[in-house]
Amino acid sequence: MHVLITGAGGHLGRKLFDVLEADPDYKVSGIDIRPVDHPDIHTADLSGDPIWIKLLEGVDVIVHLAGDREPAASWSSAIKHNMDATLSLYHHAVAVGVKRVVLASSNWVQGDKRFSTDALNSDTPPGPVNAYGMSKLFCERTGAYFAQHHGLSVICLRIGWTQWTHDNKPGPHMAMGRWGQEMWLSDRDFLNGMRAAIDATDVAFAALNLMSDNPGMRWDIAETKRKIGYDPQDGSPAKITSAIAMRTSIKRLFSFRIVEFFEKRLPHW
């Protein structure tokens, strides 16, 4: 199976590239916006000159990790590097006969649920709170369109938190309190989830959570296990210190409770 990884020189992309390259069951190539010291990782801007289209020929599965990954991404960057680039990728993938795109989506698609009690699964209404989250929702919905109308299998994985620092170990050093810790995703589970999505059969479209099996988390990974055979090996309960609890309470008050109060009592204000 020929797998092409976009963003192959990035934090997650290179980890996946190296694992697949070492597996004789896969042929792997990559695209990255920056030069990478590997003969099979090619330099190209998916939102620019479409000379990269020829790199899709003979590819079975695209793992699309490229894009602006910052939650604070500007609208202009999110539109260009996430929305426009992904839409172009879907279009050209269909044109050359790629069978599947595995899209790196994000938990920010449901960013408004941080202080709610809602279970988080594919049936939970989205609520992006920034341009980054909105761009990922756009990529999911356009993926559903290409699955329905063009026969392209699209699996969107709402990837949890794989840290650059601390050797990706979970704990109270992570930002966003309980919310941040409970979306932890180990390197091993990231790779397991990606390979499950690459290899899954009979999936036309799915938008699935990809977190480790963290006790007490609100992200539902049962559907991920059922649809693509994801088998997480790691998990860690959130460790809530008094400082974390205090910061969380203040953040919940000003970003959720006060807003909720006015929405209920002054709906037309």
Side-chain angles (χ1 to χ4, degrees), residues 89-137:
L89 186 74
Y90 287 147
H91 173 78
H92 293 298
V94 168
V96 302
V98 172
K99 298 178 179 66
R100 171 171 293 159
V101 172
V102 179
L103 171 75
S105 189
S106 171
N107 55 83
W108 282 99
V109 167
Q110 295 175 330
D112 67 329
K113 308 299 189 299
R114 176 177 174 184
F115 297 113
S116 74
T117 57
D118 301 354
L120 303 174
N121 54 45
S122 61
D123 294 326
T124 307
V129 296
N130 50 27
Y132 173 73
M134 186 64 238
S135 70
K136 290 298 184 179
L137 177 59

Side-chain angles (χ1 to χ4, degrees), residues 186-205:
S186 72
D187 289 355
R188 176 165 59 173
D189 286 342
F190 164 73
L191 295 170
N192 286 344
M194 282 293 169
R195 291 184 65 154
I198 291 168
D199 295 338
T201 58
D202 301 322
V203 180
F205 175 80

Side-chain angles (χ1 to χ4, degrees), residues 17-18 24 33 51 63 71 80 82 91 94 96 103 105 108 117 132 151 171 185 218 232 247 249 263 268:
F17 186 96
D18 290 344
I33 198 170
I51 57 172
V63 178
K80 178 180 179 181
N82 297 355
H91 173 78
V94 168
V96 302
L103 171 75
S105 189
W108 282 99
T117 57
Y132 173 73
L185 176 64
R218 290 161 51 211
R247 289 197 299 268
S249 296
E263 285 181 342
H268 304 296

Side-chain angles (χ1 to χ4, degrees), residues 115-185:
F115 297 113
S116 74
T117 57
D118 301 354
L120 303 174
N121 54 45
S122 61
D123 294 326
T124 307
V129 296
N130 50 27
Y132 173 73
M134 186 64 238
S135 70
K136 290 298 184 179
L137 177 59
F138 172 88
C139 294
E140 289 188 3
R141 298 318 305 157
T142 51
Y145 176 88
F146 275 87
Q148 181 178 354
H149 297 286
H150 296 284
L152 178 68
S153 172
V154 179
I155 298 177
C156 308
L157 296 178
R158 295 172 177 173
I159 297 174
W161 193 347
T162 55
Q163 304 163 91
W164 290 80
T165 60
H166 299 85
D167 294 323
N168 195 24
K169 302 298 183 184
H173 61 272
M174 300 173 73
M176 296 185 289
R178 182 182 298 278
W179 178 261
Q181 291 187 53
E182 289 183 350
M183 71 171 73
W184 177 64
L185 176 64

